[in-house]
Amino acid sequence: GAGVSQSPRYKVAKRGQDVALRCDPISGHVSLFWYQQALGQGPEFLTYFQNEAQLDKSGLPSDRFFAERPEGSVSTLKIQRTQQEDSAVYLCASSFSSGSYNEQFFGPGTRLTVL
Amino acid sequence: GQNIDQPTEMTATEGAIVQINCTYQTSGFNGLFWYQQHAGEAPTFLSYNVLDGLEEKGRFSSFLSRSKGYSYLLLKELQMKDSASYLCAVGQAGTALIFGKGTTLSVSS
């Protein structure tokens, strides 16, 4: 497709369940970012990949969060033992390069609700 | 620390002009971005400033003063479809964007 896609668009999980969120970036985009957006807030950085290398994971809130991009294209964000505070929209963004003008193209997000 | 401030809400009427301000204090600076986000949708890119001054793009303009840590987004000839959240973000070299909390703009007829 022409843009960044994410699946599922909506996910309801019971507290303690594991979830996996998928991101398909724009073809050829080197950089991939995950953000968490709580209701009424701006997106907050979680982690960043350049190709398959995870260069920055400083924003991951706990060791229950894990992200991978094994072949440098599709990425998965996994949350283990979900908690209610994990409820948010998870946005994926990609950019052509990591250069100074790094316009990021965002996907529609996955809205996670933890009951 | 990293701090980006913008007003929470603004209202305006169709055809009017509105200016959304953003002030920032960040450890790094690699440009100032504005994104538009309609409810339930992805943020979409509006503008990018890395040098001081005004960038104009159709009905939207963005201004940057690096010495003051200040930017604004100017929207002219407002339309109902401009009702959305407007996100100010600071770019960090090679890594992520740091976003403000967003300004919700409501345009009424």
Side-chain angles (χ1 to χ4, degrees), chain A residues 32-106:
Chain A
L32 185 146
F33 305 82
W34 283 99
Y35 293 87
Q36 181 190 60
Q37 186 173 25
L39 190 63
Q41 303 293 313
E44 291 194 3
F45 169 73
L46 294 176
T47 187
Y48 158 59
F49 290 86
Q50 188 170 324
N51 295 307
E52 68 277 6
Q54 189 174 21
L55 298 187
D56 188 347
K57 55 181 181 179
S58 62
L60 296 177
S62 77
D63 58 8
R64 297 185 294 105
F65 287 70
F66 171 78
E68 61 183 5
R69 193 186 186 199
E71 297 178 358
S73 55
V74 171
S75 177
T76 304
L77 176 68
K78 298 179 180 177
I79 309 173
Q80 297 177 322
R81 305 181 304 281
T82 52
Q83 304 294 315
Q84 285 188 325
E85 62 263 27
D86 300 334
S87 296
V89 174
Y90 290 85
L91 294 167
C92 175
S94 69
S95 66
F96 181 71
S97 72
S98 60
S100 59
Y101 177 67
N102 57 338
E103 178 187 343
Q104 296 182 19
F105 297 83
F106 283 81

Side-chain angles (χ1 to χ4, degrees), chain B residues 82-104:
Chain B
D82 297 329
S83 293
S85 178
Y86 291 85
L87 300 164
C88 173
V90 173
Q92 306 278 285
T95 59
L97 298 173
I98 302 172
F99 283 89
K101 294 184 177 181
T103 298
T104 300

Side-chain angles (χ1 to χ4, degrees), chain B residues 28-50:
Chain B
F29 181 82
N30 202 38
L32 193 293
F33 294 78
W34 285 96
Y35 279 81
Q36 180 191 59
Q37 186 176 29
H38 285 99
E41 298 183 10
T44 54
F45 171 80
L46 289 178
S47 70
Y48 169 74
N49 295 67
V50 68

Side-chain angles (χ1 to χ4, degrees), chain B residues 6-85:
Chain B
Q6 50 181 131
T8 304
E9 294 181 342
M10 298 185 71
T11 59
T13 54
E14 269 189 306
I17 300 173
V18 70
Q19 178 175 312
I20 303 174
N21 296 322
C22 171
T23 58
Y24 63 90
Q25 289 178 303
T26 57
S27 58
F29 181 82
N30 202 38
L32 193 293
F33 294 78
W34 285 96
Y35 279 81
Q36 180 191 59
Q37 186 176 29
H38 285 99
E41 298 183 10
T44 54
F45 171 80
L46 289 178
S47 70
Y48 169 74
N49 295 67
V50 68
L51 299 176
D52 289 354
L54 187 69
E55 293 281 344
E56 297 188 80
K57 190 187 294 186
R59 293 189 300 116
F60 292 6
S61 303
S62 57
F63 172 83
L64 175 67
S65 169
R66 288 172 297 170
S67 62
K68 296 181 178 178
Y70 169 69
S71 173
Y72 67 73
L73 179 69
L74 191 72
L75 294 79
K76 304 176 187 175
E77 301 168 16
L78 281 173
Q79 303 174 11
M80 297 290 285
K81 67 178 182 179
D82 297 329
S83 293
S85 178

